[in-house]
Amino acid sequence: MKETIIEKVKDLFEDSRIEAFLGLKEENGQIGPYLFTDPKDLEGFSLGDKEWPGDKRYPLSKILIALAQKYPENRFGILVRGCDERALNELFKWNQLNEEHVVMVGFPCPQELAEACECPKPYPESLVVGEKVKGIKSKKVEVILNMGMEGRLKYWTERFSRCIKCYGCRNVCPVCFCNECELANDDLIPSGEIPPENPIFHLVRAAHMAGRCIDCGLCEEACPVGIPLRTLYKKVADIVDSEFGYRPGYQKDQKSPFNILGERPED
Amino acid sequence: MQLKHVLTICPYCGCGCGIYLEVLDGEIIRTIPSKTSPVNQGRLCIKGWSAHEFVVSPKRLKRPYLRKQEKLHEASWDEVLDFTASRLREIREKHGPDSIAFLASAKCTNEENYLLQKLARAAIGTNNIDHCARL
Ligand code: SF4
Ligand code: SF4
Ligand code: SF4
């Protein structure tokens, strides 16, 4: 699979369709983000798998925003899984990236990763290699719903109380791009308190992920205290879907219901 | 156009979390936790996440200064070291070695911390040595 992707990237460079390719590289056993500017560099190219599939994923789409802001005229290739493509689709809609300047090179996740992620679409549309594997419906949300109101409150209050307010969930999130973050708003969440106000901090983030979270799970992986953030935002996504018929990242042409300015209300 | 992810160690505490510094055309713009580091496995505390910020802080001291009458004055290394040594000697002679205390830092290397305690114990003659994590 990797060889085919490398060939594809080489072709993109040769046909001058991109000036640089954002992917992952393994150097001295360490896998990290890497901007390839020369096809000769592609040795060590990595898909982000080390001990198990997808265990070394990084928020490449987020990194691309900073790059494209500085180089708006350049065209970039980028390595994508299903979730990376969903993130990019949202970032195009929110005008954080220009679709015409981004070339996605997609590959599917294996079934075991799809199951671990409970991912409804473990492959991107921009697939250049491999087979689409079956999407998985989440069971974790169900398990928590079955705890009943009191059980759920206890479950979440206990987990939120472990938060060390590192902002890792926000920092790593591909669709967190606000210039001013409400999680750092002193009037809403007083600073200097750990854990941050429970449950306001987490509900603010959850509410802001409505219509945005593309369910990549990077937040949960970055959380040092193991709060099941992904499950929380999966439920948020279910609510938005049932109320507005919208799932972030899936439809290219459909705008987020939170991205539409309605009519000016009558005075 | 040059974007580099430079693998390094968080400079804040003794844990030694692995981080990538994201460097765009020579400017450090972000810290990203390393997922391959066995220490932190893709996680960081709030200090680690902002490990790149002090590098470009306008408040950062980049050369030696002497504080005279509450004001910082630029000075050479020789000047500041001579001044420090003579004041330490004066204080020690007048008030004894235990009138002086040393504060080391988890941001320094083991070797630097070793040297500071050596200076405290062997040169000044006090056990008054502690570090920033206990402040
Ligand atoms: S969320 Fe889906 S696309 Fe992303 S890593 Fe998991 S299985 Fe793959
Ligand atoms: S799963 Fe987490 S990191 Fe990924 S988009 Fe949703 S909130 Fe952001
Ligand atoms: S990553 Fe976890 S500990 Fe850090 S702010 Fe988010 S929820 Fe809190």
Side-chain angles (χ1 to χ4, degrees):
Chain A
M1 172 131 61
K2 196 160 81 181
E3 274 58 46
T4 319
I5 296 176
I6 293 178
E7 285 312 311
K8 177 78 190 166
V9 176
K10 279 188 184 152
D11 289 347
L12 290 176
F13 273 114
E14 259 165 44
D15 302 343
S16 302
R17 288 191 56 209
I18 55 169
E19 277 87 48
F21 186 85
L22 187 58
L24 302 167
K25 189 168 180 169
E26 178 159 359
E27 286 174 305
N28 308 316
Q30 310 279 332
I31 297 175
Y34 194 90
L35 185 72
F36 300 89
T37 47
D38 186 336
K40 284 203 246 15
D41 243 16
L42 287 161
E43 201 169 317
F45 189 92
S46 166
L47 298 181
D49 309 322
K50 198 162 168 77
E51 263 110 78
W52 62 90
D55 61 337
K56 307 289 179 262
R57 295 179 298 132
Y58 286 86
L60 294 181
S61 48
K62 185 164 206 168
I63 295 170
L64 187 61
I65 299 177
L67 201 55
Q69 256 168 12
K70 187 152 182 202
Y71 293 97
E73 300 305 324
N74 288 76
R75 283 155 310 160
F76 297 97
I78 181 169
L79 182 70
V80 300
R81 293 176 187 263
C83 49
D84 300 301
E85 185 181 81
R86 296 199 288 274
L88 288 167
N89 282 344
E90 281 309 304
L91 294 170
F92 297 147
K93 288 182 214 172
W94 291 91
N95 297 322
Q96 299 300 307
L97 283 170
N98 179 353
E99 190 176 353
E100 276 152 33
H101 289 230
V102 179
V103 181
M104 298 191 224
V105 172
F107 68 105
C109 293
Q111 198 68 50
E112 58 183 314
L113 180 56
E115 269 158 36
C117 287
E118 300 193 325
C119 177
K121 193 176 171 218
Y123 54 87
E125 290 301 320
S126 53
L127 214 57
V128 300
V129 61
E131 299 289 320
K132 297 179 177 178
V133 304
K134 216 170 80 247
I136 304 290
K137 205 181 164 316
S138 173
K139 289 192 201 86
K140 289 182 187 151
V141 172
E142 205 78 0
V143 170
I144 295 175
L145 287 180
N146 287 339
M147 291 175 183
M149 273 302 188
E150 233 160 81
R152 282 156 67 188
L153 184 64
K154 195 163 157 268
Y155 177 89
W156 287 112
T157 311
E158 191 279 320
R159 272 153 191 82
F160 292 160
S161 73
R162 303 178 200 164
C163 176
I164 59 164
K165 209 184 186 191
C166 67
Y167 290 111
C169 45
R170 173 199 71 182
N171 294 351
V172 83
C173 175
V175 293
C176 266
F177 50 75
C178 301
N179 289 332
E180 265 180 52
C181 175
E182 290 304 328
L183 296 175
N185 179 338
D186 242 358
D187 297 326
L188 213 53
I189 300 146
S191 58
E193 269 176 36
I194 287 180
E197 198 166 328
N198 185 353
I200 295 300
F201 182 88
H202 299 275
L203 295 188
V204 167
R205 180 140 209 285
H208 285 201
M209 284 303 106
R212 272 222 226 168
C213 167
I214 47 80
D215 189 21
C216 65
L218 287 176
C219 51
E220 192 168 303
E221 288 181 13
C223 182
V225 295
I227 302 176
L229 296 166
R230 188 175 194 173
T231 311
L232 179 67
Y233 306 144
K234 274 181 196 281
K235 177 62 186 165
V236 172
D238 286 346
I239 297 172
V240 173
D241 197 5
S242 69
E243 295 297 321
F244 298 98
Y246 184 77
R247 274 233 172 227
Y250 287 90
Q251 299 301 330
K252 259 189 165 174
D253 317 317
Q254 195 186 354
K255 269 207 161 189
S256 159
F258 301 92
N259 196 355
I260 298 166
L261 287 178
E263 297 287 306
R264 197 165 189 271
E266 305 264 325
D267 290 328
Chain B
M1 179 201 314
Q2 195 189 47
L3 180 75
K4 278 192 173 175
H5 286 86
V6 182
L7 186 63
T8 183
I9 304 289
C10 173
Y12 276 114
C13 81
C15 280
C17 293
I19 56 173
Y20 282 100
L21 291 176
E22 192 173 308
V23 188
L24 181 55
D25 299 326
E27 188 194 345
I28 308 180
I29 57 172
R30 201 197 322 255
T31 306
I32 302 177
S34 157
K35 289 204 153 174
T36 12
S37 164
V39 178
N40 53 312
Q41 302 165 12
R43 293 152 199 148
L44 284 174
C45 78
I46 191 165
K47 290 195 292 177
W49 275 108
S50 37
H52 60 288
E53 285 176 10
F54 71 84
V55 181
V56 290
S57 167
K59 292 185 193 154
R60 186 178 158 197
L61 301 183
K62 293 185 182 163
R63 46 167 303 140
Y65 290 88
L66 265 183
R67 191 186 295 277
K68 288 182 197 153
Q69 272 127 26
E70 296 302 307
K71 270 213 158 125
L72 290 178
H73 296 270
E74 283 187 12
S76 69
W77 277 114
D78 277 347
E79 259 176 278
V80 298
L81 288 173
D82 284 351
F83 178 80
T84 312
S86 67
R87 282 292 290 145
L88 281 175
R89 194 171 284 129
E90 254 174 66
I91 295 168
R92 178 166 162 256
E93 267 156 29
K94 209 161 161 199
H95 304 286
D98 281 337
S99 63
I100 298 170
F102 289 82
L103 268 183
S105 167
K107 275 168 122 173
C108 300
T109 60
N110 274 342
E111 290 74 10
E112 285 164 329
N113 280 319
Y114 174 81
L115 286 174
L116 193 72
Q117 69 81 35
K118 199 79 179 166
L119 177 73
R121 294 199 167 98
I124 302 288
T126 179
N127 284 324
N128 289 341
I129 174 128
D130 215 321
H131 58 94
C132 68
R134 285 234 296 231
L135 284 181

